[in-house]
Amino acid sequence: LSGTDAANYTQNASATATANITLRTLVITANASDKTYDKTTAASVTLSDDRVSGNLLNITFSTSTFATSAAGANKTVTVTGIAVTGTDAANYSYATSTTTTATILQRTLNVTVSPTNKVYDGTTAAAVTYTDNRISGDSLTVTGEATFSSKTAVSGKTVTSSNLSISGQDASNYVLPSISINSVQTANITPRVVTITGTFGVANRQYDATTDATAQSTPPISPGLSDVQLADDVTLAGTPTFTFAQATVGTGIGITTT
């Protein structure tokens, strides 16, 4: 104490009062990882906070989910059931849920192209089937174009599939790798069997211990060919040889020609 009249007073050595220490708001931040489309809403997250340095806290949560399972960028991820425990937990208040964003990336659709053998039809058109690694239950359609390297009948011919694309309800969740948009495989084009048309004449003969039937067979006067494709140029030529199926006596014996 100081002043003119200070000597007339004494002072107490200490004083008391009251005030409140209020709960500190703990700001909990979620960080979600991007993932590849897997048809689920499951999200992987980590949590961080702004606790006072040195405080002991343990933060847990119940669920972390994307808003939908579809592929997309900056999708909302919600974390719920947040709980704070530990030595210093009583000093904090907090929200029990929080949100963040992350991306669900498109899943790579690996397509296998399997060409089908065909009988010669005068075109290079090829039929193929597609198989892929889609997630079970997803609705997709794979389409494309497929052609043989040429129309001729040969085994092991190159079949090129091009312009592959995907459509359907779940197509937006997938992406085709560039290597599968054009695919090269092999298949066979087998010769087409044509039939000589017209009326053949045949006559009976006596047994001569041979199967020769040429003398008893008369080819059509104007033979034709059935099943020639498109505008193909096919001409019938040669002198046919006719043969009985057996040399022994019989009735209704088959005759073949070469």
Side-chain angles (χ1 to χ4, degrees), residues 156-181:
K157 292 179 68 72
T158 297
V159 176
T160 301
S161 297
S162 59
N163 299 323
L164 292 186
S165 63
I166 51 177
S167 59
Q169 179 179 328
D170 299 302
S172 61
N173 298 314
Y174 292 87
V175 62
L176 285 168
S178 58
I179 193 171
S180 75
I181 294 175

Side-chain angles (χ1 to χ4, degrees), residues 76-99:
T76 298
V77 175
T78 302
V79 182
T80 63
I82 296 173
V84 179
T85 59
T87 304
D88 300 303
N91 298 315
Y92 293 88
S93 65
Y94 55 90
T96 57
S97 66
T98 189
T99 61

Side-chain angles (χ1 to χ4, degrees), residues 120-122 151 191-197 223-238:
Y120 173 80
D121 63 2
K151 71 175 186 177
R192 178 174 289 273
V193 176
V194 295
T195 301
I196 300 173
T197 59
L225 293 173
S226 68
D227 211 18
V228 174
Q229 299 296 293
L230 305 178
D232 279 0
D233 182 13
V234 181
T235 302
L236 181 64

Side-chain angles (χ1 to χ4, degrees), residues 202 205 210-217 240-247 253-258:
V202 293
R205 71 165 170 80
T210 73
T211 58
D212 181 35
T214 300
Q216 284 72 46
S217 303
T241 299
F242 296 89
T243 306
F244 281 107
Q246 65 188 54
I253 302 171
I255 298 176
T256 59
T257 183
T258 57

Side-chain angles (χ1 to χ4, degrees), residues 31-46:
N31 181 45
S33 300
D34 295 342
K35 74 168 187 176
T36 299
Y37 169 76
D38 62 3
K39 205 177 179 178
T40 75
T41 58
S44 176
V45 301
T46 58

Side-chain angles (χ1 to χ4, degrees), residues 94-116:
Y94 55 90
T96 57
S97 66
T98 189
T99 61
T100 185
T101 60
T103 296
I104 298 181
L105 303 168
Q106 289 177 307
R107 185 180 189 86
T108 298
L109 188 71
N110 295 316
V111 177
T112 300
V113 181
S114 301
T116 303

